[in-house]
Amino acid sequence: LDGTLVNSIYAIQKSVNDTLSYWNMREISVEESRLYVGDGYKKLLERSLIACGDKELTHYEEALVRYMELFDRHCMHRVEPYPGIRKLLEELKKRGVRLAVFSNKPHAMTVRNIEGVFGEGYFDRILGQKEEIPKKPAPDGAWMIADGLGVDRRRCLYLGDTNTDMRTGKNAGFDTVGVTWGFRPREELLSFQP
């Protein structure tokens, strides 16, 4: 989802910066945001707090609560599909390819992003972070999606823009594709031989 289908970096950055402002901490930049995302919101906040001076993570627990409240409000802030994504997805659908989204973003916000950008029912399956499912790079969610669609796992293609995505695809045993238009540099993706 983030960094692969849609550019959501401004929504993430705004929600983090609004959270940090409670303690008069400096804002994180777009570039920092790109480096801190990919492993779920808890890791995002941990990295952001440390970078902004809270090395002992004194505000961590409160930041988690505040961030989720703010992100609930701002999760669609400036979110848009990457150029060419709609055309790519339409072509895949025409060819009978089943489409699914697996994200470390909380499930409710994952659904809101997908439905807000692409419409309801566009994807065959959507799965965001849920407490009962190990988050990426664990393959469980990817397997749940494939199995729920009745798709042979050996025929799945997993696309993503971070090392977390490359590890998820590899851990699931799927052919894995790194996309270079997202949040992380090409070199990071290449190191996993996608």
Side-chain angles (χ1 to χ4, degrees), residues 23-136:
W23 301 286
N24 297 315
M25 294 178 155
R26 74 167 178 88
E27 294 188 343
I28 62 169
S29 67
V30 169
E31 287 310 312
E32 286 174 303
S33 301
R34 287 187 175 135
L35 292 174
Y36 301 162
V37 299
D39 297 306
Y41 78 97
K42 292 179 181 179
K43 201 69 173 163
L44 165 68
L45 286 168
E46 177 185 313
R47 291 170 178 154
S48 299
L49 285 166
I50 290 170
C52 294
D54 186 2
K55 307 263 188 252
E56 292 78 35
L57 297 173
T58 355
H59 303 296
Y60 180 70
E61 293 301 325
E62 189 178 353
L64 294 177
V65 174
R66 289 188 184 275
Y67 176 83
M68 288 306 290
E69 290 168 359
L70 291 162
F71 195 53
D72 186 50
R73 270 185 259 158
H74 303 305
C75 80
M76 288 301 295
H77 175 73
R78 295 180 61 186
V79 173
E80 60 185 15
Y82 283 102
I85 287 296
R86 286 185 195 278
K87 187 176 178 183
L88 169 67
L89 295 174
E90 283 304 316
E91 184 61 32
L92 291 171
K93 285 167 96 55
K94 278 185 209 167
R95 294 177 184 217
V97 174
R98 309 288 300 273
L99 302 177
V101 172
F102 179 37
S103 178
N104 271 347
K105 178 181 280 185
H107 182 73
M109 283 112 179
T110 298
V111 171
R112 280 176 47 204
N113 272 183
I114 288 296
E115 291 181 354
V117 173
F118 300 102
E120 197 173 328
Y122 192 86
F123 284 82
D124 298 299
R125 286 277 194 275
I126 301 170
L127 181 60
Q129 183 181 351
K130 294 180 175 183
E131 289 302 319
E132 66 272 18
I133 302 167
K135 66 182 171 66
K136 300 185 298 183

Side-chain angles (χ1 to χ4, degrees), residues 121-173:
Y122 192 86
F123 284 82
D124 298 299
R125 286 277 194 275
I126 301 170
L127 181 60
Q129 183 181 351
K130 294 180 175 183
E131 289 302 319
E132 66 272 18
I133 302 167
K135 66 182 171 66
K136 300 185 298 183
D140 306 59
W143 289 336
M144 284 177 62
I145 290 170
D147 296 347
L149 290 172
V151 176
D152 182 341
R153 291 179 184 178
R154 293 169 298 181
R155 295 183 47 87
C156 290
L157 189 61
Y158 190 96
L159 291 86
D161 71 309
T162 67
N163 69 74
T164 301
D165 291 314
M166 298 303 95
R167 289 183 289 145
T168 303
K170 299 265 184 194
N171 290 343

